[in-house]
Amino acid sequence: MSKKTKQFRELLLSKDLEFLLEAHNGISAKIGEEAGFKGLWASGLAISAQYGVRDSNEASWTQVLENIEFMSDASNIPIMLDGDTGYGNFNNVRRLVRKLEQRDIAAVCIEDKLYPKTNSFIDGDKQELADIEEFCSRIKAGKDAQIDDDFSIITRIEAFIAGWGLSEALKRAEAYHEAGSDAILIHSAKSDPSEILAFKKEWGDTSPVIVVPTKYYSTPTEVLEQEGFSIAIWANHMIRSSIKAMQESAKQIFESSSILTIENEIASVKEIFRLQGVSELKEAEANYLPKKETTAEAIILAASRGEAMGSLTDDQPKTMIPLKNKSMLEHITEIYRNHGVNNIHVVRGYKKKAINIPELHYIDNDDFDVTSELSSFQKAIEQIDGDTYCSFGDVLFKPYMLDLMDDSEDDLVLLIDTQWRDSVNKGRAADYVKCSQPHSRANYTDPIFLDSAGETLDEESIHGEWMGIIKISSKIIPLIKNEVNALSKGEDFHSMKMHHFLEHLCKIKQPIRVVYTTGNWLDVDTLEDVIRASNFI
Ligand code: SPV
Ligand code: MG
């Protein structure tokens, strides 16, 4: 896209009648652009009005400047500032031009009156016009000050407004043109276009002529087109429409003491976000901000030996068996760390000294040979308060499994493999589950919960196999601690596994969310599993 100054020049010089829409702040500028306008009129009247002051230079020129800076940033189309009289003499105009260029404003329009100005529609005929020579000095100084050759200075002739005739208007147009003005804005307060048409007829194509049909609004646009005007400015229609909308809304809300009936009549908050470009910020945040570390912790239950591995576990527990030159435990901890989980607790028991990976937090279950999984879990959970993942030292899984659990906001989340019939665990001890619904591709939205868990479920009722990974939210940690501690009073606690605990939680009606998935995990129990695991990594 070309420079805004160049875009404006193209509008000014195009053969067709072009249009500028009034805008008075960033959001109205953006709305005008989205509607399809190729340029904007930063109206002095509208900018004053949105500040709640009169169009009499009550808003300082730097306040106007600040406002149009927002307009310029919020839109990609050229803006012509209604620069009133130039806020002073030649010196003020040249400083204004420099400041406008710095803010990527394409053009300024200055009118041949005196500072402080009065709006043309308030007692126009009593308004004093600037001395022609003095006004020309404003134009010359402005043109000399501009750095970009395409910046435009439009001169607005108020001769008709002030009650002077056509000849005064033409005399001024001539002088301003001579002084370097890029176009004439001929203003009229009449309800018919006679003045501007008379001017255009005499002026011809000496330079482009801009009109503001606020008062002669009933003139068909085709007439302006046919007469060869360069640009028509719809000068105040955004501020007027917003005033009406705000007045109606304010009245309705006040009278009903409610916002219920208005809700669907007004722009949604989401629409505000869209206009503000919130989505771009989200993308930028993902790009620039450091990735947040989660405060989540992990428990890895790794106390057992793994007898089925034979001599591989003579001197070390099976979690330390190397798979592609790193132990299984290191592979598992790496997955957690890559997920932002750095506080990792490992429950060790058999040959505990062999587990010596730095920066892990170790919890010892010295009764590992006479206790089972739940005793190890109890020792670990005692030390934990935050969101926690728990898995086994002999279960490998792909990293996305953690994301799958993160997608759910439930307090307890289990990953369940629907392909349990193909599992390497088929025929050996496996944690089978029955859920509130079997897996179905038709079900995309219904949440599914655990009904029952165990190694000896009736085949017909099995919906899947628990992969040995669970996510526990911090909110529910106190309850989990209480329940494990209560179970630990029982005689059979030493033989209890995690599936017994899951079954217990089902019995006390604690919802456990189930996430169905297939494969991409491995329970490493045998030597064949070790070979499989090496390929898996
Ligand atoms: C403005 O919009 O501020 C103008 C046009 O200067 S008018 O109000 O018609 O004078
Ligand atoms: Mg104005």
Side-chain angles (χ1 to χ4, degrees):
M1 200 178 279
S2 64
K3 289 183 303 178
K4 287 181 178 177
T5 49
K6 200 157 183 84
Q7 289 180 50
F8 185 81
R9 268 295 153 102
E10 280 161 13
L11 295 180
L12 201 58
L13 301 176
S14 92
K15 290 200 172 38
D16 301 327
L17 176 68
E18 305 285 355
F19 304 94
L20 299 185
L21 181 71
E22 171 260 305
H24 50 268
N25 56 20
I27 206 160
S28 58
K30 176 128 198 188
I31 289 169
E33 178 181 356
E34 285 190 347
F37 282 92
K38 291 190 263 178
L40 299 168
W41 166 247
S43 153
L45 170 67
I47 292 173
S48 308
Q50 62 83 42
Y51 280 137
V53 298
R54 288 166 286 230
D55 186 15
S56 306
N57 294 123
E58 289 185 347
S60 73
W61 77 276
T62 53
Q63 287 169 330
V64 171
L65 195 67
E66 185 168 13
N67 187 306
I68 58 170
E69 185 171 1
F70 280 103
M71 290 171 58
S72 180
D73 289 346
S75 57
N76 302 296
I77 50 175
I79 298 172
M80 169 155 80
L81 171 68
D82 170 5
D84 292 340
T85 57
Y87 312 111
N89 70 0
F90 80 96
N91 189 38
N92 303 90
V93 172
R94 51 185 193 165
R95 186 161 167 77
L96 174 67
V97 166
R98 295 301 308 280
K99 294 291 133 187
L100 293 178
E101 284 194 305
Q102 287 165 7
R103 282 150 187 81
D104 205 13
I105 304 302
V108 64
C109 176
I110 54 173
E111 62 198 62
D112 54 358
K113 292 196 304 206
L114 305 175
Y115 181 91
K117 56 75 59 97
T118 305
N119 185 276
S120 304
F121 301 141
I122 302 173
D123 298 332
D125 54 352
K126 298 200 180 74
Q127 296 187 17
E128 193 183 338
L129 296 186
D131 171 76
I132 294 180
E133 218 176 321
E134 187 279 321
F135 190 70
C136 286
S137 74
R138 293 185 225 170
I139 301 166
K140 282 186 197 140
K143 290 306 291 178
D144 286 344
Q146 76 185 56
I147 291 171
D148 179 349
D149 287 345
D150 288 320
F151 184 87
S152 301
I153 298 183
I154 313 303
T155 49
R156 164 165 156 182
I157 294 173
E158 292 280 287
F160 288 131
I161 299 286
W164 298 78
L166 176 63
S167 60
E168 178 70 18
L170 288 167
K171 184 169 90 182
R172 286 175 174 268
E174 202 60 62
Y176 303 164
H177 181 59
E178 196 65 26
S181 147
D182 293 297
I184 300 292
L185 188 157
I186 186 73
H187 206 16
S188 169
K190 285 187 75 158
S191 58
D192 63 69
S194 53
E195 289 177 334
I196 58 130
L197 292 181
F199 176 85
K200 182 71 177 84
K201 194 153 171 261
E202 294 298 323
W203 185 250
D205 294 325
T206 312
S207 71
V209 181
I210 299 175
V211 286
V212 184
T214 303
K215 292 285 178 182
Y216 47 95
Y217 59 85
S218 58
T219 307
T221 303
E222 293 73 39
V223 172
L224 304 176
E225 174 109 58
Q226 279 156 20
E227 297 303 318
F229 288 101
S230 161
I231 292 175
I233 300 177
W234 313 126
N236 45 43
H237 302 80
M238 297 290 272
I239 189 82
R240 284 164 62 192
S241 53
S242 60
I243 287 172
K244 180 126 193 258
M246 287 193 282
Q247 284 169 332
E248 281 170 3
S249 293
K251 183 166 183 278
Q252 193 176 329
I253 294 171
F254 179 77
E255 284 174 358
S256 64
S257 287
S258 165
I259 47 176
L260 176 66
T261 54
I262 206 169
E263 178 61 26
N264 294 325
E265 307 295 318
I266 57 180
S268 65
V269 173
K270 216 165 133 198
E271 174 62 359
I272 303 177
F273 292 160
R274 189 192 66 77
L275 285 162
Q276 289 169 313
V278 166
S279 58
E280 189 279 336
L281 177 57
K282 282 206 180 123
E283 282 165 27
E285 281 173 348
N287 233 348
Y288 294 112
L289 288 181
K291 305 269 172 289
K292 271 212 193 91
E293 264 189 19
T294 128
T295 52
E297 307 182 43
I299 299 172
I300 302 173
L301 303 175
S304 69
R305 171 178 174 173
E307 278 87 359
M309 305 285 188
S311 60
L312 270 182
T313 57
D314 279 350
D315 302 320
Q316 61 186 5
K318 69 172 164 181
T319 196
M320 291 305 287
I321 290 177
L323 300 171
K324 292 216 172 128
N325 67 37
K326 241 190 271 175
S327 67
M328 192 144 56
L329 184 60
E330 281 168 292
H331 286 293
I332 298 168
T333 54
E334 200 172 285
I335 287 170
Y336 280 121
R337 286 199 205 285
N338 288 341
H339 198 68
V341 179
N342 286 319
N343 203 355
I344 302 173
H345 311 263
V346 176
V347 184
R348 51 186 192 176
Y350 176 73
K351 298 281 180 196
K352 67 180 179 188
K353 297 235 160 57
I355 305 186
N356 54 6
I357 302 163
E359 290 174 32
L360 293 178
H361 179 234
Y362 294 111
I363 298 160
D364 294 339
N365 178 7
D366 290 326
D367 300 326
F368 66 92
D369 50 352
V370 290
T371 62
S372 191
E373 294 164 8
L374 197 54
S375 297
S376 291
F377 178 74
Q378 182 191 27
K379 288 188 167 42
I381 201 77
E382 261 169 19
Q383 311 210 10
I384 281 174
D385 297 307
D387 295 341
T388 303
Y389 303 92
C390 179
S391 64
F392 293 99
D394 59 352
V395 171
L396 290 167
F397 53 88
K398 296 279 187 198
Y400 76 89
M401 295 294 174
L402 300 176
D403 294 318
L404 280 182
M405 291 195 292
D406 290 349
D407 283 347
S408 161
E409 289 184 351
D410 296 72
D411 290 326
L412 281 172
V413 188
L414 288 188
L415 285 179
I416 301 298
D417 191 336
T418 54
Q419 300 284 77
W420 59 277
R421 286 175 208 277
D422 307 335
S423 167
V424 293
N425 287 338
K426 192 79 200 300
R428 60 196 196 201
D431 299 316
Y432 294 120
V433 296
K434 178 180 175 305
C435 306
S436 55
Q437 281 182 49
H439 170 67
S440 155
R441 288 177 68 174
N443 177 17
Y444 185 70
T445 50
D446 280 4
I448 297 169
F449 294 93
L450 185 72
D451 268 0
S452 181
E455 290 178 358
T456 55
L457 292 192
D458 182 10
E459 271 223 25
E460 262 75 279
S461 69
I462 295 175
H463 290 148
E465 179 182 357
W466 177 43
M467 294 165 46
I469 315 170
I470 183 167
K471 189 175 176 192
I472 308 166
S473 83
S474 58
K475 205 172 116 203
I476 206 168
I477 293 274
L479 178 140
I480 296 292
K481 287 179 182 170
N482 279 345
E483 293 303 321
V484 182
N485 290 339
L487 288 177
S488 72
K489 308 270 174 343
E491 272 184 11
D492 52 354
F493 185 68
H494 66 279
S495 63
M496 285 178 99
K497 293 187 163 183
M498 286 303 282
H499 69 78
H500 291 113
F501 186 49
L502 295 176
E503 179 68 10
H504 170 77
L505 293 174
C506 290
K507 290 230 168 75
I508 63 164
K509 304 270 181 259
Q510 170 57 49
I512 304 176
R513 180 69 183 265
V514 160
V515 175
Y516 281 128
T517 177
T518 42
N520 289 301
W521 68 286
L522 214 52
D523 188 356
V524 183
D525 282 339
T526 65
L527 285 172
E528 293 84 65
D529 292 344
V530 172
I531 294 160
R532 272 193 209 101
S534 294
N535 295 332
F536 179 85
I537 280 161

